[in-house]
Amino acid sequence: MPQFLLFILLFFSQTLFAEIKIPVNLSQLDRLETLRILGMGTSSKILSEPYPLGGYSGLELGVSIEFLDLTDLSSLGATIPDKQENTTYPKLSLGKGLYNNIDMFFNFTPYSKNSGLSQYGGMIRWGFYQSPYVPTCLSLLVHGNATNVSQNIFSQSFGVDLVAGFTLNYVSVYFGGGQIESRGQFVGINSSNNIETEHTSSVHTLMGTILTLDKVFVAIELDRYSDAMISAKIGIRN
């Protein structure tokens, strides 16, 4: 199964995903909007059962596909001849339970000539409450991410979220929210012809559903920053 997930990631990253077309002559307002779309949009997602791996010899491996809405990006800066509405890109993720209901997750996307995108990130999740009466839990998440788009945009995103989860038989749902901020460096695409650095922040809300069959799970998540995006993941969990 791990070899199969890795094959899916490598196949998708090299074949199916369209190039992200970055507009040029970006003003400061254009750069801030670009950072919200590409910086926040590529940040780390949960896409995992809400019950913690921590306290067990837990291990999770998965491949996710994330969908980016690029409609607003195409309208920034200089006009792009062919408007781009959306693109998708893969992530390989690894989660490990540590102790006291603390989990650590790592994710990355290998560089692809097709999309021009590569990224890596991590997340720490602390499951600080589990109800003794109903299958619910509360978790605090701290996450960070770094993204490179075509050697023109280098962004770093950091966020904190509070997440509630509910599990019943084979189905889990979770929802929550918090704050996220992104910093980005823009090279060769600015109206000033200089290297520019920008910073922005936003409220982050999320909700997701997971279907689990034995050790295999499928997750779908909706995240909202300034824009909404959808992610899907298939994985295994011990």
Side-chain angles (χ1 to χ4, degrees):
M1 188 59 146
Q3 293 87 345
F4 176 67
L5 295 176
L6 183 58
F7 171 77
I8 292 176
L9 174 74
L10 294 175
F11 175 76
F12 281 168
S13 64
Q14 299 301 322
T15 57
L16 298 183
F17 303 118
E19 178 185 4
I20 298 176
K21 299 175 183 178
I22 304 174
V24 296
N25 295 331
L26 297 180
S27 66
Q28 183 182 31
L29 292 178
D30 292 335
R31 292 192 297 270
L32 289 173
E33 183 62 21
T34 301
L35 190 55
R36 294 185 188 102
I37 296 170
L38 297 180
M40 294 180 181
T42 56
S43 62
S44 296
K45 315 297 187 302
I46 303 173
L47 290 166
S48 177
E49 292 186 16
Y51 194 82
L53 290 166
Y56 307 88
S57 57
L59 184 66
E60 178 183 299
L61 180 65
V63 170
S64 61
I65 304 299
E66 303 195 358
F67 300 81
L68 273 177
D69 184 353
L70 302 178
T71 305
D72 293 338
L73 183 67
S74 298
S75 65
L76 303 177
T79 302
I80 297 177
D82 298 322
K83 296 294 184 180
Q84 188 174 19
E85 295 183 356
N86 56 68
T87 190
T88 53
Y89 65 96
K91 283 185 181 179
L92 179 66
S93 62
L94 174 67
K96 181 68 180 72
L98 301 178
Y99 57 89
N100 293 335
N101 292 331
I102 295 176
D103 304 330
M104 180 174 290
F105 297 87
F106 174 75
N107 66 79
F108 76 96
T109 298
Y111 174 75
S112 167
K113 292 182 179 179
N114 294 332
S115 66
L117 181 146
S118 64
Q119 69 81 39
Y120 63 90
M123 176 185 298
I124 296 177
R125 178 174 67 181
W126 173 38
F128 63 87
Y129 174 77
Q130 297 174 33
S131 172
Y133 307 108
V134 291
T136 60
C137 59
L138 293 174
S139 300
L140 183 67
L141 292 88
V142 179
H143 54 88
N145 202 82
T147 302
N148 175 3
V149 184
S150 301
Q151 301 296 317
N152 296 125
I153 302 174
F154 303 87
S155 67
Q156 301 86 39
S157 297
F158 306 92
V160 179
D161 295 303
L162 178 65
V163 177
F166 177 81
T167 301
L168 184 62
N169 295 329
Y170 304 108
V171 179
S172 299
V173 296
Y174 59 88
F175 58 92
Q179 186 77 10
I180 185 171
E181 66 174 41
S182 289
R183 298 179 183 273
Q185 188 176 61
F186 296 78
V187 181
I189 54 175
N190 304 303
S191 56
S192 64
N193 293 322
N194 297 321
I195 297 175
E196 302 286 354
T197 300
E198 304 294 348
H199 168 264
T200 187
S201 62
S202 173
V203 172
H204 172 218
T205 58
L206 62 101
M207 61 182 300
T209 303
I210 299 177
L211 175 65
T212 303
L213 299 174
D214 195 13
K215 295 182 178 181
V216 179
F217 68 90
V218 177
I220 299 177
E221 181 174 319
L222 174 66
D223 290 82
R224 175 129 192 129
Y225 314 97
S226 57
D227 293 313
M229 69 169 298
I230 299 176
S231 307
K233 179 178 178 179
I234 181 172
I236 55 175
R237 176 172 176 167
N238 291 323

